[in-house]
Amino acid sequence: MSTHADTHAHEDDHGHHHKETFMTKYIFSQDHKMISKQYLITGTIMGVIGVLMSIMFRMQIAWPEEPNVLFEALLGKWAPGGVMDADIYLALVTIHGTIMVFFVLTAGLSGTFSNLLIPLQIGARDMASGFLNMISYWLFFLSSVIMIISLFVEAGPAAAGWTIYPPLSALPMAQGGSGMGMTLWLVSMAIFIASSLLGSLNYIVTIINLRTKGMSMTRLPLTIWAFFVTAIIGVVSFPVLLSAALLLIMDRSFGTSFFLSDIFIQGEVLHYQGGSPVLFEHLFWFLGHPEVYIVILPAMGIVSEIMASNSRKPIFGYRAMIASILAIAFLSTIVWGHHMFISGMNPFLGSVFTFTTLLIAIPSAVKSFNWMTTIWKGNIQMNTAMLFSIGFVSTFITGGLTGIIMGDSALDINIHDTYFIVAHFHLVMGISALYGMFAGIYHWYPRMFGRMMNKNLGYIHFWVTAICAYGVFFPMHFIGMAGLPRRYYTNSNFPLFDDLANVNVVITVFAIIGGIFQLVFLYNFFVSIFYGKKAPQNPWRSTTLEWTAPVKHIHGNWPGEIPHVYRWAYDYSKPGHDVDFVPQNVPLKEGEEELQH
């Protein structure tokens, strides 16, 4: 299948030839295991910033016009006397969305686990190109730094929403945040896309070319299938966002009119003629919708792996799971118009997008039923990773069901741009992907750091997070159906919404509690690196190859020969064996049949 390099079987010789310095081991490392930790820790820091922003604007919605010490301390001139300025509210919403979608859930999730697991689970020494891998991380780091720098621009950070629709994003004079802050946003995203493309190409090539002897595509764990397809979607759709960003830069700085036409500012007509802001929407959402699957597919793969391992059962419907990943990937590229039902779209085209959008519910449902059937009558190990995986299925289903309503072009008119939308995509994409990320961290932490995380702190983290996530986003559906628009920094000018003020206070209280309890996770994560219980080689008694490598990280993953593969990745509780799991590198017994579900 693959002719990978058994030639440097004695990879530990590397240590003798050139001693690794602090810089080559921890900073400019080309080892996929170290790069995955760099992604994870950078993503975590960005996540803390993103969550802090959300707590601030939730406090503004709950208690508008009230002086707040936190605002005064963190926002300075943008909160005179502790009262939040309307412009900075939009900026907080914009940067929160950008950070969470791209920097935490795309890079944090895909970057961390694709890097950690692809070489280890397919039986490779490292990525196809360690150098490209390193460049990919440092471009991500650079784009993160530029995004954070944009917060300190005098006129304010980008404030056109994370979707940066023109004209707010295309006219530097439109508002404070349309100036230098918006330019830095675009530069940061261009670098981020370069990072994402380099990473994705590396993942694809590694999976196709570097699988160990015996590792056919149908013996791959579902995690690898998910990362593989995610990378393909990234390569197909990210360049479209890059083209949109470049055209936007041209409109902003070089006087072109791709997205602008007939603009009046204070009665004065500007020279822009012939452009279309709807064109930008098409370009943005052609990435934007595949993007939500770039975020959710790695989490789906992680959950499939963890559920099989902790149910002590083979994953149910392995081939159906692969087929549904492929179907989701294909359909994700032909549904983008459902974000634009009220942009003046031809109703017939709207009905086409409705049809394709509802179709995507089928592979999603296949996955959901297969997860439920996997844990059905299993010998379930209720560790933290398993709890987060079950939580993932719960939020994926509850968030997904509301998508069926929004996918209908007629029903969407009532709820478009209300809190109903916010509730839907935070549950189905935000919270679900975060749960997948947490599940992956708790499950593979021993593989990353050689130590175990504290189980009781994990339980506290899960239950408070789960209750608060529903506490925040469940009521939002109802205030959305009542008509409350998103992105308004206060609703006090509309007597119509006075009755909803108390609901907003409840949502904010849940958000603050949920945000604070993420500190339990951060404490558990960073303290366990140094003081956690030392991990055995295979703490969860799993079948996949990453648990056959020694706990101590070595360059090249395995001392001596790379293990060969003789069976699929889910031989749990197989009759005829003394233990309830059979690793992939154990040869078949005489007369034993290989399972292929």
Side-chain angles (χ1 to χ4, degrees):
M1 199 76 231
S2 69
T3 56
H4 72 280
D6 263 335
T7 44
H8 44 267
H10 299 288
E11 73 305 305
D12 37 359
D13 291 348
H14 287 304
H16 304 303
H17 292 314
H18 45 87
K19 198 82 184 115
E20 282 193 309
T21 62
F22 179 82
M23 288 297 275
T24 57
K25 188 171 181 189
Y26 293 105
I27 312 295
F28 298 110
S29 174
Q30 295 188 22
D31 182 6
H32 70 99
K33 299 181 290 296
M34 183 55 66
I35 292 172
S36 81
K37 293 180 201 175
Q38 290 175 322
Y39 267 111
L40 180 57
I41 288 169
T42 312
T44 304
I45 293 165
M46 294 298 278
V48 170
I49 296 167
V51 168
L52 191 61
M53 287 178 171
S54 64
I55 288 173
M56 282 199 289
F57 59 68
R58 275 310 323 171
M59 289 165 95
Q60 163 64 22
I61 300 168
W63 303 289
E65 313 301 335
E66 285 185 29
N68 188 310
V69 191
L70 185 68
F71 295 169
E72 203 160 14
L74 291 176
L75 300 176
K77 69 168 184 174
W78 297 108
V83 178
M84 189 186 286
D85 185 74
D87 285 344
I88 201 66
Y89 175 84
L90 282 176
L92 287 173
V93 171
T94 301
I95 306 295
H96 161 80
T98 308
I99 283 179
M100 298 309 279
V101 171
F102 294 109
F103 294 85
V104 180
L105 297 178
T106 304
L109 193 59
S110 234
T112 300
F113 292 106
S114 296
N115 269 305
L116 177 72
L117 295 177
I118 288 174
L120 281 167
Q121 288 194 336
I122 67 173
R125 294 284 180 210
D126 206 315
M127 283 289 178
S129 169
F131 181 72
L132 265 191
N133 212 10
M134 176 187 82
I135 296 291
S136 168
Y137 167 72
W138 282 105
L139 286 174
F140 164 59
F141 181 80
L142 179 63
S143 72
S144 305
V145 169
I146 293 172
M147 191 59 74
I148 300 306
I149 287 172
S150 79
L151 298 175
F152 301 97
V153 171
E154 191 173 347
W162 80 276
T163 54
I164 57 159
Y165 283 177
L168 279 183
S169 59
L171 290 172
M173 69 290 273
Q175 56 176 0
S178 297
M180 187 63 181
M182 189 69 233
T183 304
L184 287 173
W185 191 100
L186 288 164
V187 170
S188 169
M189 284 312 300
I191 296 170
F192 176 86
I193 292 165
S195 154
S196 180
L197 287 172
L198 287 178
S200 296
L201 291 169
N202 215 354
Y203 306 150
I204 293 167
V205 172
T206 306
I207 293 169
I208 289 175
N209 285 341
L210 296 186
R211 302 192 304 283
T212 186
K213 190 169 191 293
M215 180 63 87
S216 63
M217 292 300 274
T218 49
R219 285 177 175 172
L220 287 173
L222 287 170
T223 34
I224 302 299
W225 269 105
F227 300 145
F228 180 54
V229 174
T230 301
I232 292 170
I233 304 176
V235 168
V236 168
S237 57
F238 264 121
V240 181
L241 182 64
L242 183 62
S243 66
L246 291 175
L247 295 178
L248 200 50
I249 289 170
M250 303 285 274
D251 272 14
R252 291 170 56 77
S253 306
F254 302 106
T256 56
S257 305
F258 291 109
F259 307 131
L260 294 167
S261 188
D262 306 323
I263 303 280
F264 293 82
I265 290 190
Q266 292 171 340
E268 187 187 332
V269 63
L270 300 187
H271 69 274
Y272 298 104
Q273 212 63 68
S276 164
V278 176
L279 170 63
F280 179 85
E281 290 188 35
H282 279 291
L283 290 173
F284 182 89
W285 287 116
F286 189 81
L287 157 93
H289 202 81
E291 166 64 25
V292 305
Y293 292 100
I294 290 171
V295 163
I296 205 76
L297 278 177
M300 287 175 163
I302 286 167
V303 164
S304 302
E305 182 65 37
I306 292 172
M307 280 199 162
S309 182
N310 286 312
S311 302
R312 316 310 295 161
K313 275 180 65 184
I315 190 82
F316 186 87
Y318 174 77
R319 288 177 186 241
M321 287 299 232
I322 296 171
S324 58
I325 289 174
L326 295 169
I328 284 172
F330 169 67
L331 290 170
S332 75
T333 59
I334 52 169
V335 295
W336 79 92
H338 64 215
H339 297 268
M340 302 168 56
F341 283 147
I342 62 163
S343 65
M345 176 186 281
N346 181 319
F348 175 73
L349 188 58
S351 65
V352 172
F353 278 121
T354 296
F355 176 66
T356 56
T357 302
L358 298 183
L359 271 185
I360 213 163
I362 298 169
S364 305
V366 167
K367 297 191 90 59
S368 301
F369 287 123
N370 282 2
W371 286 319
M372 287 189 264
T373 320
T374 299
I375 60 176
W376 177 254
K377 293 190 174 177
N379 174 17
I380 298 175
Q381 320 291 304
M382 277 296 183
N383 51 41
T384 319
M386 186 61 165
L387 285 173
F388 271 111
S389 298
I390 295 169
F392 168 93
V393 179
S394 166
T395 52
F396 183 69
I397 292 171
T398 44
L401 287 173
T402 53
I404 296 172
I405 298 165
M406 296 182 321
D408 188 302
S409 54
L411 297 177
D412 180 65
I413 293 168
N414 268 346
I415 50 175
H416 190 88
D417 255 346
T418 67
Y419 272 92
F420 193 90
I421 307 289
V422 180
H424 158 77
F425 77 77
H426 276 85
L427 276 179
V428 78
M429 168 182 128
I431 299 297
S432 297
L434 271 180
Y435 282 2
M437 189 168 166
F438 284 138
I441 292 169
Y442 282 106
H443 187 75
W444 279 290
Y445 192 89
R447 186 63 279 173
M448 282 181 146
F449 297 103
R451 292 178 184 270
M452 306 294 281
M453 288 177 83
N454 183 304
K455 197 171 169 181
N456 293 333
L457 287 179
Y459 288 154
I460 293 168
H461 175 222
F462 170 73
W463 283 112
V464 178
T465 304
I467 292 164
C468 289
Y470 272 131
V472 169
F473 297 113
F474 199 70
M476 273 191 195
H477 292 95
F478 301 103
I479 60 176
M481 285 193 286
L484 193 70
R486 57 195 284 210
R487 295 184 177 145
Y488 281 25
Y489 87 112
T490 171
N491 304 302
S492 49
N493 294 339
F494 306 100
L496 170 70
F497 298 134
D498 285 351
D499 293 346
L500 305 178
N502 292 337
V503 183
N504 265 325
V505 172
V506 170
I507 291 173
T508 299
V509 169
F510 274 119
I512 292 169
I513 295 168
I516 288 170
F517 267 84
Q518 300 315 304
L519 294 173
V520 173
F521 166 74
L522 291 175
Y523 172 83
N524 195 357
F525 182 88
F526 287 108
V527 170
S528 298
I529 293 176
F530 305 104
Y531 305 109
K533 197 177 86 184
K534 281 207 157 53
Q537 186 171 346
N538 189 355
W540 317 117
R541 297 166 46 243
S542 296
T543 57
T544 41
L545 287 183
E546 77 271 28
W547 304 106
T548 62
V551 177
K552 187 179 183 312
H553 284 186
I554 54 172
H555 195 66
N557 296 336
W558 288 272
E561 238 183 276
I562 292 178
H564 293 177
V565 168
Y566 301 96
R567 55 183 74 237
W568 74 323
Y570 299 101
D571 267 345
Y572 290 103
S573 305
K574 193 173 186 186
H577 286 271
D578 300 334
V579 283
D580 67 350
F581 71 107
V582 192
Q584 285 188 279
N585 61 334
V586 174
L588 292 169
K589 291 180 179 176
E590 203 173 325
E592 182 187 355
E593 281 185 31
E594 185 184 356
L595 291 176
Q596 279 295 359
H597 286 279

Short mmCIF file of all heavy atoms in Angstrom, two decimals, residues 19 231 483 557:
data_model
loop_
_atom_site.label_atom_id
_atom_site.label_comp_id
_atom_site.label_asym_id
_atom_site.label_seq_id
_atom_site.Cartn_x
_atom_site.Cartn_y
_atom_site.Cartn_z
N LYS A 19 22.33 17.23 18.37
CA LYS A 19 21.59 17.41 19.63
C LYS A 19 20.54 18.49 19.41
O LYS A 19 20.83 19.55 18.87
CB LYS A 19 22.58 17.84 20.72
CG LYS A 19 22.04 17.65 22.11
CD LYS A 19 22.21 16.21 22.58
CE LYS A 19 21.57 16.04 23.96
NZ LYS A 19 20.42 15.15 23.96
N ALA A 231 -9.45 18.24 5.28
CA ALA A 231 -8.36 18.89 4.56
C ALA A 231 -8.74 19.13 3.11
O ALA A 231 -8.45 20.19 2.53
CB ALA A 231 -7.10 18.03 4.65
N GLY A 483 -38.62 37.67 17.66
CA GLY A 483 -38.22 38.73 16.73
C GLY A 483 -37.01 39.54 17.14
O GLY A 483 -36.68 40.52 16.48
N ASN A 557 8.57 8.48 16.36
CA ASN A 557 7.43 7.80 17.00
C ASN A 557 7.68 6.40 17.54
O ASN A 557 7.29 6.10 18.67
CB ASN A 557 6.21 7.77 16.06
CG ASN A 557 5.69 9.15 15.76
OD1 ASN A 557 5.92 10.08 16.54
ND2 ASN A 557 5.04 9.32 14.64
#
